[in-house]
Every structure is written in C-alpha cells, then in structure tokens.
Amino acid sequence: MISSDKNVETIAQLAEQLKHYVGLQSEYVKLDVIEKVVKLVTAAAMSFILMLLLVMTLIYLSFAAAYGMAAYIGYVAAFCIVAGIYLCLLILIIANRRRWIEKPLVRFLAELLLNN
C-alpha cells in the first residue's frame, strides 16, 4: 500500500491533536494539584488558628478554675487538681488517638487528594 498525501496529512493532524491533548491534560493536572494544595494549606491554617484559640481559652479557664477552687482547698491543691484533669485528658486522648485523630485525618486527606 502506498501512502497518499491525504493519509500523511491525517496522521499529521492526529499527531497535532495528540500534542494538544497532552498539553491540556498536563495543564489540568497542574491546576488540580494547585487546587488540592490550596485546600490543604487552608485547612491546616484554619486548624492551627482554631487550636491556638482553643489553647488560649483553656489556659484562661484553667486559671479561673484553679483560682476558684483555691478559696476552698488552697492554691497548690487547686492547681494540682487542674493539672490532674489535664493528665487524665492526655491519657484519654493517647488511648483513643487512632479513632479520634488518625482515622479522621486520613479520611480527610484521602477525600481531599483523591476526590476529582
């Protein structure tokens, strides 16, 4: 079979369309990655801000609770009770870290990164 000019032209058009398609796909992938990175950075920033505000609130509430109890049991005992409550919370969080922290974080990241 001898190739005609029309076949060569069709193959050249096909190659040009393929190059254009690959270019568009690479641009789409770049934009998708940028979108996901922006969502991830936004979620991290919001989490950091909320955690900072939560910590500041807990510090003030802890001092208020300790000073409130101090009139009845003394300063040392009141601050020890507040510290004991935080120690119990720490142990509870460590015991349930997979269920409360790791699994929701993995689900969030998987949904963010794998969702089209």
Side-chain angles (χ1 to χ4, degrees):
M1 237 165 108
I2 300 174
S3 65
S4 67
D5 288 339
K6 186 173 182 173
N7 287 342
V8 172
E9 183 179 312
T10 304
I11 292 173
Q13 287 177 347
L14 181 62
E16 188 64 35
Q17 289 294 324
L18 185 62
K19 284 181 189 178
H20 182 66
Y21 175 76
V22 168
L24 289 176
Q25 282 299 105
S26 67
E27 189 69 24
Y28 172 75
V29 168
K30 287 178 192 175
L31 291 173
D32 191 44
V33 167
I34 289 171
E35 177 190 11
K36 290 177 180 180
V37 167
V38 166
K39 284 183 181 179
L40 189 61
V41 168
T42 303
M46 288 300 297
S47 297
F48 176 75
I49 290 169
L50 290 175
M51 291 300 276
L52 183 65
L53 291 173
L54 178 67
V55 167
M56 289 172 47
T57 303
L58 285 176
I59 288 172
Y60 281 108
L61 288 175
S62 298
F63 276 108
Y67 281 116
M69 288 187 289
Y72 302 106
I73 59 175
Y75 284 105
V76 174
F79 279 98
C80 286
I81 288 173
V82 171
I85 291 170
Y86 279 120
L87 183 62
C88 290
L89 284 173
L90 176 67
I91 292 169
L92 187 65
I93 288 171
I94 289 173
N96 293 304
R97 71 183 177 273
R98 291 199 197 296
R99 186 172 29 159
W100 291 349
I101 298 171
E102 289 177 13
K103 285 183 181 179
L105 187 61
V106 167
R107 264 189 247 119
F108 170 74
L109 291 175
E111 180 182 326
L112 177 69
L113 298 175
L114 298 177
N115 194 8
N116 291 333

